[in-house]
């Protein structure tokens, strides 16, 4: 593989996961990256414990709910402002006429 192409692939792998880096370092040098099957089968898949996965899933669900609630609060506030805006404008106009 040309040095510049390999460097470009390495840059991409450096920004990727540990498994991608491992595959890159074990790839055969040629114009096109070639990875042997035993190398593809070798990278370990690391999963956190089930309790941590469940906690992460619950945190994600809570963040989605929080996001939805914040948008509802913003929308409610905008509706309230739209509802009282005409009264505020009339009150402001009445104050202007009195002075």
């Amino acid at each position: 593989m040309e040095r510049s192409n390999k460097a470009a692939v390495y840059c991409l792998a450096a920004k990727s996961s540990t498994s991608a880096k491992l595959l890159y370092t074990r790839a055969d040098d040629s114009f096109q990256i070639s990875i042997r099957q035993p190398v593809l089968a070798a990278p370990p898949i690391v999963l956190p414990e089930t309790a941590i996965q469940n906690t992460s899933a619950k945190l994600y669900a809570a963040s989605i709910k929080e996001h939805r609630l914040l948008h509802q609060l913003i929308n409610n506030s905008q509706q309230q402002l739209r509802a009282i805006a005409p009264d505020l404008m009339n009150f402001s106009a009445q104050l202007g006429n009195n002075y």
Side-chain angles (χ1 to χ4, degrees):
M1 178 185 289
E2 294 177 9
R3 185 181 178 113
S4 62
N5 288 345
K6 192 168 184 177
V9 171
Y10 180 74
C11 288
L12 289 174
K15 294 178 183 178
S16 300
S17 67
T18 304
S19 295
K21 291 176 190 175
L22 177 67
L23 291 175
Y24 171 76
T25 57
R26 300 219 176 137
D28 295 333
D29 284 341
S30 65
F31 184 69
Q32 206 171 11
I33 291 182
S34 173
I35 301 171
R36 299 180 192 279
Q37 187 162 356
V39 173
L40 282 174
I45 297 175
V46 180
L47 293 176
E49 295 177 13
T50 306
I52 294 173
Q53 291 179 40
N54 289 336
T55 302
S56 296
K58 288 176 184 176
L59 283 171
Y60 176 73
S63 72
I64 297 280
K65 185 177 180 179
E66 179 186 35
H67 187 263
R68 189 175 337 118
L69 289 172
L70 286 172
H71 277 282
Q72 285 177 348
L73 285 171
I74 291 168
N75 289 338
N76 288 346
S77 175
Q78 289 173 345
Q79 285 177 348
Q80 289 173 348
L81 288 173
R82 278 191 221 107
I84 64 171
D87 292 338
L88 290 174
M89 295 300 289
N90 290 335
F91 182 71
S92 175
Q94 287 175 0
L95 283 177
N97 291 338
N98 290 337
Y99 288 104

